[in-house]
Amino acid sequence: MFPHERSLVKRLRNYPFALIGVNSDRDREEIKIKNLQEQITWRSFWNGAQGTRGPISTSWEVRAWPTLYLIDHKGVLRRKFEGNPGDAELDRLIDELVVKAMRNR
């Protein structure tokens, strides 16, 4: 997913869009290296030493990896995907939300 995420961040850099990640790897130092290698430029939170059972995934009731949440410009959860719905579907839904956010500026 990282290549698509990088393309989203680049394509939507001048629009009301933010990508936020949660990393479930247990070793925080390895995550730092991985983020550099994968060119992760967006905010990515560490889920803690518990890995997939960490505090973020527990609070958000994550049961599958990846789980994707689409949240609109008002903070309303619009979609939740357990698993990747595909780049084209994500792009379409994100673009719709960006257009709505632009109208409400």
Side-chain angles (χ1 to χ4, degrees):
M1 288 192 67
F2 292 137
H4 185 245
E5 290 169 336
R6 281 193 298 274
S7 72
L8 281 171
V9 169
K10 183 177 180 179
R11 179 171 69 86
L12 298 170
R13 69 180 170 271
N14 295 319
Y15 294 93
F17 170 79
L19 176 65
I20 300 171
V22 176
N23 192 306
S24 64
D25 293 346
R26 294 176 186 262
D27 188 319
R28 195 171 196 175
E29 293 307 311
E30 285 183 24
I31 292 170
K32 291 177 185 178
I33 294 167
K34 183 178 177 180
N35 285 351
L36 286 172
Q37 291 172 339
E38 294 290 346
Q39 301 170 7
I40 307 298
T41 58
W42 54 92
R43 181 72 178 165
S44 182
F45 294 92
W46 182 48
N47 200 32
Q50 304 89 350
T52 59
R53 295 187 178 152
I56 298 170
S57 58
T58 300
S59 295
W60 281 78
E61 299 179 7
V62 173
R63 291 178 173 70
W65 296 85
T67 295
L68 307 172
Y69 295 91
L70 293 181
I71 301 170
D72 72 10
H73 64 286
K74 294 181 180 181
V76 176
L77 176 63
R78 295 297 178 181
R79 294 291 296 264
K80 176 182 177 181
F81 296 99
E82 291 184 344
N84 185 347
D87 296 351
E89 178 70 359
L90 276 177
D91 285 352
R92 183 183 68 76
L93 294 168
I94 289 169
D95 289 346
E96 286 176 8
L97 291 177
V98 168
V99 167
K100 287 179 184 176
M102 298 283 292
R103 287 186 195 140
N104 291 308
R105 281 187 161 188

